[in-house]
């Protein structure tokens, strides 16, 4: 749409606003995943007129769309949960240490019903434009089906991993079998029984899907472009005793989560959390062995210099490679699985439930697409290198346009006609990952520049929802109509986020954290890496000092 017709439409809306013909809310929340649900609940508890728009026909966000076989969380369920209501924790029984997707989706539904949120969510409602009407200090939101509402505040709860990145493979239209992206998994049952299955991609989604499909598929080929590091989850059923200990210590544990580096409870006492480079080889090995046996994402936190010191990092990576070689019997397959091209921890480490073990099954094959790239699809399968493979089902697990994809897709235009897409053409820039200069009264939950995907998302988004709710409450009490990030504060924040990684190993990886997985995306680090606790302190200081770095009118 041209700038002129944009303005015409806005003027028309302003006139309608005067006439009071459009539904008007205090708060419009975009997205009904876990963060959107909490934002909606919080706004309603404050007595605000609030509505949420959700593309899907149910709540759950990422857990609604990513329903591929094997999908489960990589943060322990007890902590991958809300902390704002002790009674909710008392009434909900997680069954496994790492919950599977159906149980997590059920938790989202339970929360939605428990707090009576469903009537305030518009399902099958994808937001296509979000425009600021300067004259009225109000946002105009439009859905793809033409529904229009106005809201004083907009909260983008669109999630950092919600826009699937699906490469177009030459000839894929010809393929007569079934093809599904993990991030857009169909709602009907998909059978793999005895079928010839391919998985393209070996990040967290590909690893989980391949592991789940391997025992039932007739044959499974995993097409690996880059090898990833994966740590065993050692998933197990939770016992009544686990849940009792958690509930009895709920406040203390959740306070520790809030004070932690990653939103996951971790010992960062300098006496025990030490630099690997200051330890003996035996001590480093013992520490790694103990972390491996504990499993999960905390493996990378064995030492405080994992992503700072190349030698420490190499030793950790070698430790993992040695474990892979012990598990995988075929040496050539083990070599391919060990051919990582980046320091451990500089791409999100995967957490698995027997992934490397699947390569000891006779029906599972690994194809190294660095040596034999996927060239094209055929009627019956695909050609990798010179070889044609026939498949019944192809699972595409090629990731997401992370952190910025969903925000840009919402078509956001701020004051004076500024488009977010133009503002971010050289890379995303925010203040605190919460707000942007030029976009008054619009907040981003776990936006670029916040710890977000570097942490347990529940800790991250609870902090943001509570901060946003406090901010709206403050504005109401003081009769402020507008809050907007100051350009200078935003520039400083954005360069600070970049500086944080300058002396680290992170720039060595072509990760989605840096936007490198999407062709043409500006390369800029998209998360704040100094930890959840420091970030929370900064946000609290900003608030306690009357919203420093923001302009209030
Ligand atoms: P990802 O980590 O970006 O992995 C995508 C995979 O697809 C990589 O192996 C990549 O290869 C490959 N790939 C991408 N484009 C390709 C192409 N054109 N041809 C061939 N291969 C291609 O995506 P993801 O696995 O969906 O995971 C994304 C993030 O979602 C994770 O890092 C994690 O934060 C989250 N997640 C979490 C869980 C969980 O356990 N809770 C599960 C799934 C996802 P290269 O490595 O060479 O780029």
């Amino acid at each position: 749409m041209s700038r002129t017709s944009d303005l015409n439409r806005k003027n028309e809306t302003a006139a309608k606003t005067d006439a009071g013909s459009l539904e008007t809310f205090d708060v419009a929340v975009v997205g009904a995943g876990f963060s959107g649900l909490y934002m909606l609940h919080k706004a309603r508890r404050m007595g605000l007129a609030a509505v949420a728009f959700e593309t899907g026909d149910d709540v759950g966000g990422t857990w609604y769309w990513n329903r591929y076989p094997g999908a489960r969380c990589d943060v322990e369920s007890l902590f991958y949960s809300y902390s704002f209501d002790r009674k909710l924790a008392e009434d909900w029984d997680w069954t496994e240490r790492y919950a599977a997707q159906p149980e997590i989706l059920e938790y989202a539904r339970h929360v939605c019903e428990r707090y009576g949120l469903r009537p305030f969510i518009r399902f099958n409602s994808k937001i296509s434009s979000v425009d600021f009407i300067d004259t009225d200090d109000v946002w105009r939101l439009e859905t793809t089906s033409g529904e229009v509402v106005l809201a004083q505040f907009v909260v983008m709860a669109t999630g950092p991993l919600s826009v699937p990145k699906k490469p177009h493979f030459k000839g894929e239209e010809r393929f007569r079998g079934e093809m599904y992206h993990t991030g857009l998994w169909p709602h009907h049952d998909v059978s793999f029984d005895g079928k010839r299955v391919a998985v393209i991609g070996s990040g967290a989604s590909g690893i989980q899907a391949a592991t789940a499909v391997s025992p039932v598929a007739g044959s499974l080929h995993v097409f690996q472009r880059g090898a990833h590091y994966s740590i065993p989850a050692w998933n197990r059923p939770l016992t009544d005793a686990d849940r009792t200990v958690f509930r009895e210590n709920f406040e203390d544990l959740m306070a520790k989560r809030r004070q932690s580096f990653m939103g996951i409870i971790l010992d960062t006492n300098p006496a025990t959390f030490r630099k690997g480079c200051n330890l003996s080889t035996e001590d480093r090995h013992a520490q790694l062995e103990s972390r491996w046996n504990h499993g999960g994402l905390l493996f990378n936190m064995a030492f405080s210099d994992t992503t700072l010191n190349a030698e420490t990092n190499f030793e950790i990576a070698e430790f993992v490679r040695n474990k892979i070689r012990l598990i995988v019997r075929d040496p050539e397959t083990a070599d391919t699985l060990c051919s990582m091209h980046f320091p451990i921890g500089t791409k999100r480490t995967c957490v698995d439930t027997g992934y490397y073990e699947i390569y000891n099954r006779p029906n599972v094959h690994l194809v190294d697409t660095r040596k034999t790239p996927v060239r094209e699809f055929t009627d019956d399968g695909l050609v990798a290198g010179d070889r044609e493979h026939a498949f019944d089902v192809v699972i595409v697990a090629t990731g997401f346009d992370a952190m910025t994809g969903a925000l840009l897709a919402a078509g956001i235009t701020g004051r004076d006609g500024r488009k977010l897409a133009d503002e971010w053409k050289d890379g995303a820039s925010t203040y605190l990952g919460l707000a942007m200069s030029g976009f008054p009264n619009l907040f981003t939950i776990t936006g670029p520049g916040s710890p977000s995907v570097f942490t347990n998302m529940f800790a991250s988004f609870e902090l943001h929802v509570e901060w946003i709710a406090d901010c709206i409450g403050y504005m109401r009490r003081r009769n402020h109509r507008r809050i907007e990030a100051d350009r200078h504060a935003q520039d400083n924040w954005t360069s600070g986020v970049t500086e944080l990684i300058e002396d680290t190993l992170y720039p060595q990886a072509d990760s989605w954290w840096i936007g490198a997985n999407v062709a043409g995306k500006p390369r800029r680090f998209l998360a704040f890496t100094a930890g959840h606790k420091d970030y929370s302190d900064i946000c609290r200081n900003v608030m306690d000092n009357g919203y420093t770095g923001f302009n209030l009118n």
Side-chain angles (χ1 to χ4, degrees):
M1 184 171 292
S2 73
R3 178 85 176 260
T4 324
S5 58
D6 249 0
L7 287 175
N8 286 344
R9 193 178 48 153
K10 281 186 181 182
N11 290 339
E12 200 180 293
T13 304
K16 279 190 193 159
T17 320
D18 291 340
S21 61
L22 285 174
E23 267 188 297
T24 304
F25 295 92
D26 297 319
V27 181
V29 181
V30 183
F34 282 110
S35 65
L37 286 175
Y38 185 34
M39 189 71 241
L40 182 62
H41 171 60
K42 197 83 183 149
R44 292 199 47 74
R45 285 289 292 269
M46 289 168 72
L48 300 172
V51 65
F53 292 91
E54 168 54 50
T55 306
D57 63 11
D58 202 351
V59 298
T62 196
W63 298 102
Y64 170 91
W65 299 104
N66 287 267
R67 50 181 73 215
Y68 59 86
R72 66 175 67 244
C73 57
D74 59 4
V75 170
E76 296 195 35
S77 325
L78 293 171
F79 295 95
Y80 195 75
S81 312
Y82 291 106
S83 72
F84 69 87
D85 184 354
R86 163 182 254 288
K87 281 200 65 57
L88 171 63
E90 276 167 10
D91 295 348
W92 182 263
D93 285 342
W94 289 110
T95 62
E96 291 180 274
R97 185 178 174 198
Y98 293 94
Q101 176 270 337
E103 191 174 6
I104 303 174
L105 184 58
E106 209 40 54
Y107 179 60
R109 290 183 178 136
H110 170 76
V111 167
C112 180
E113 305 313 329
R114 184 184 179 103
Y115 299 104
L117 300 175
R118 201 168 283 276
F120 308 101
I121 305 172
R122 308 218 172 150
F123 294 102
N124 302 306
S125 296
K126 186 177 169 64
I127 294 293
S128 54
S129 68
V130 184
D131 296 309
F132 191 65
I133 317 282
D134 297 66
T135 45
D136 290 12
D137 277 346
V138 78
W139 287 93
R140 174 192 193 277
L141 296 95
E142 183 163 351
T143 67
T144 48
S145 57
E147 185 183 358
V148 177
V149 302
L150 303 175
Q152 185 189 1
F153 296 98
V154 172
V155 183
M156 300 301 293
T158 40
L161 292 161
S162 47
V163 175
K165 190 201 74 156
K166 158 82 186 66
H168 179 265
F169 297 102
K170 187 177 161 201
E172 67 177 48
E173 306 74 19
R174 291 168 53 193
F175 179 53
R176 291 182 302 205
E178 300 164 70
M179 176 148 73
Y180 307 108
H181 193 286
T182 44
L184 270 180
W185 199 259
H187 285 230
H188 59 76
D189 282 343
V190 179
S191 165
F192 299 99
D193 286 357
K195 291 191 177 164
R196 299 161 301 175
V197 181
V199 175
I200 301 179
S202 56
S205 306
I207 281 176
Q208 289 184 333
T211 308
V213 165
S214 63
V216 290
S219 69
L220 170 67
H221 286 72
V222 178
F223 290 85
Q224 173 192 286
R225 189 171 69 178
H228 287 242
Y229 299 88
S230 188
I231 309 301
W234 307 124
N235 190 30
R236 62 170 175 82
L238 286 176
T239 62
D240 284 342
D242 293 324
R243 286 185 286 263
T244 303
V245 169
F246 176 73
R247 284 170 185 150
E248 282 175 355
N249 298 285
F250 181 76
E251 273 82 15
D252 182 42
L253 290 170
M254 288 307 190
K256 284 196 172 115
R257 186 178 86 170
R258 279 191 283 279
Q259 294 294 310
S260 68
F261 186 76
M262 289 172 66
I264 300 174
I265 297 175
L266 158 76
D267 177 13
T268 47
N269 174 349
T272 43
F273 184 52
R274 285 174 291 173
K275 288 185 176 174
C277 64
N278 291 340
L279 300 176
S280 68
T281 309
E282 292 72 31
D283 283 351
R284 278 198 297 272
H285 198 271
Q287 173 72 345
L288 288 171
E289 199 63 51
S290 135
R291 292 283 179 165
W292 180 270
N293 291 333
H294 181 76
L297 287 175
L298 291 185
F299 176 81
N300 283 350
M301 302 299 286
F303 311 114
S304 59
D305 58 351
T306 300
T307 50
L308 296 173
N309 182 308
E311 282 171 28
T312 302
N313 189 287
F314 183 76
E315 194 166 323
I316 304 171
E318 277 295 281
F319 180 91
V320 175
R321 285 189 276 266
N322 287 335
K323 289 288 186 192
I324 296 171
R325 290 185 207 286
L326 281 176
I327 297 168
V328 179
R329 286 197 287 272
D330 175 50
E332 202 182 320
T333 303
D335 279 349
T336 306
L337 290 166
C338 289
S339 62
M340 298 86 170
H341 291 266
F342 58 94
I344 187 166
T346 59
K347 283 187 181 186
R348 171 86 166 205
T349 299
C350 305
V351 175
D352 72 85
T353 309
Y355 173 62
Y356 294 116
E357 286 81 349
I358 70 173
Y359 293 100
N360 294 331
R361 300 180 62 91
N363 64 330
V364 178
H365 314 278
L366 183 64
V367 182
D368 183 349
T369 66
R370 287 188 190 242
K371 292 183 182 149
T372 54
V374 175
R375 284 188 12 226
E376 63 177 323
F377 272 68
T378 61
D379 291 357
D380 298 318
L382 60 81
V383 179
D386 293 331
R387 181 156 173 218
E388 181 167 0
H389 303 262
F391 294 116
D392 303 302
V393 189
V394 175
I395 300 175
V396 181
T398 46
F400 300 88
D401 181 356
M403 311 290 284
T404 56
L407 292 169
L408 291 172
I412 302 174
T413 305
R415 74 174 156 75
D416 308 322
R418 268 150 241 245
K419 299 209 172 292
L420 186 64
D422 294 335
E423 298 283 307
W424 284 6
K425 69 179 184 328
D426 297 323
S429 178
T430 67
Y431 180 44
L432 303 170
L434 264 169
M436 285 94 66
S437 169
F439 300 84
N441 296 356
L442 182 139
F443 300 105
T444 51
I445 298 183
T446 62
S450 71
S452 177
V453 289
F454 253 65
T455 61
N456 173 359
M457 289 299 285
F458 269 83
S460 262
F461 75 66
E462 281 197 344
L463 169 72
H464 273 185
V465 168
E466 286 159 17
W467 191 96
I468 294 165
D470 282 342
C471 176
I472 294 175
Y474 176 92
M475 288 177 67
R476 297 239 143 179
R477 286 193 303 279
R478 298 187 172 228
N479 293 321
H480 288 300
R481 287 289 305 161
R482 272 197 197 193
I483 185 165
E484 182 181 332
D486 175 71
R487 167 68 61 183
H488 186 61
Q490 173 168 317
D491 291 346
N492 276 345
W493 182 260
T494 303
S495 49
V497 168
T498 305
E499 278 161 25
L500 281 175
I501 64 144
E502 265 167 17
D503 294 327
T504 71
L505 306 175
Y506 291 115
Q508 293 184 25
D510 286 335
S511 66
W512 56 258
W513 290 333
I514 214 161
N517 67 327
V518 175
K521 189 163 173 171
R523 201 179 166 101
R524 179 177 286 178
F525 209 79
L526 295 168
F528 174 90
T529 51
H532 179 71
K533 157 121 183 34
D534 285 5
Y535 176 79
S536 310
D537 291 347
I538 294 168
C539 289
R540 175 153 295 282
N541 279 335
V542 165
M543 186 171 83
D544 290 348
N545 291 311
Y547 296 93
T548 42
F550 285 94
N551 298 313
L552 278 155
N553 301 113

